[in-house]
Amino acid sequence: QVQLVESGGGLVQAGGSLRLSCAASTKIFSFIPMGWYRQAPGKQRELVATITPRGSTNYADSVQGRFTISRDNGEKAVYLQMNSLKPEDTAAYYCNAKWGQSDFWGQGTQVTVSS
């Protein structure tokens, strides 16, 4: 079982920045691929960014060049630095861990970008 707790969401003006954090409660964190997803009202949950245990990253086209995912295996945490935020980035952001056949999710943190 992997428990995930996100933090760092909030209200920001367009062009601003936020940093999301996700703390994991598992001893095997350094072996787990991690990711950030988001879900806007009335829309399906979508991939934002992923990071492998060794630090290889992948981004959705919509956030490429503006968002950066990173991880600290010693702290058992994954981060999402979000710059140049746009109103269309408004959504609930969820931390994800994949282990075996299972997906684990945090409770989500709301990001609202005002125009």
Side-chain angles (χ1 to χ4, degrees):
Q1 194 75 6
V2 180
Q3 293 184 329
L4 304 170
V5 179
E6 301 100 333
S7 61
L11 173 63
V12 63
Q13 288 187 333
S17 299
L18 281 174
R19 186 186 192 224
L20 306 183
S21 300
C22 172
S25 62
T26 173
K27 294 180 180 180
I28 58 171
F29 178 81
S30 61
F31 299 100
I32 299 178
M34 300 293 297
W36 287 96
Y37 290 70
R38 67 187 182 186
Q39 187 168 17
K43 295 187 177 181
Q44 290 189 332
R45 191 170 295 188
E46 63 176 4
L47 172 72
V48 175
T50 60
I51 186 165
T52 68
R54 292 192 175 188
S56 295
T57 58
N58 180 58
Y59 297 92
D61 289 344
S62 59
V63 306
Q64 182 76 46
R66 300 188 297 123
F67 291 10
T68 302
I69 189 171
S70 61
R71 66 189 295 159
D72 185 330
N73 288 337
E75 294 294 322
K76 294 187 284 187
V78 63
Y79 307 99
L80 186 68
Q81 178 66 43
M82 305 185 294
N83 298 329
S84 301
L85 282 161
K86 304 175 181 180
E88 51 263 44
D89 295 317
T90 294
Y93 283 71
Y94 296 90
C95 182
N96 170 266
K98 296 186 183 297
W99 185 246
Q101 300 297 318
S102 300
D103 273 280
F104 299 93
W105 298 93
Q107 82 287 353
T109 186
Q110 179 66 34
V111 172
T112 302
V113 184
S114 63
S115 58

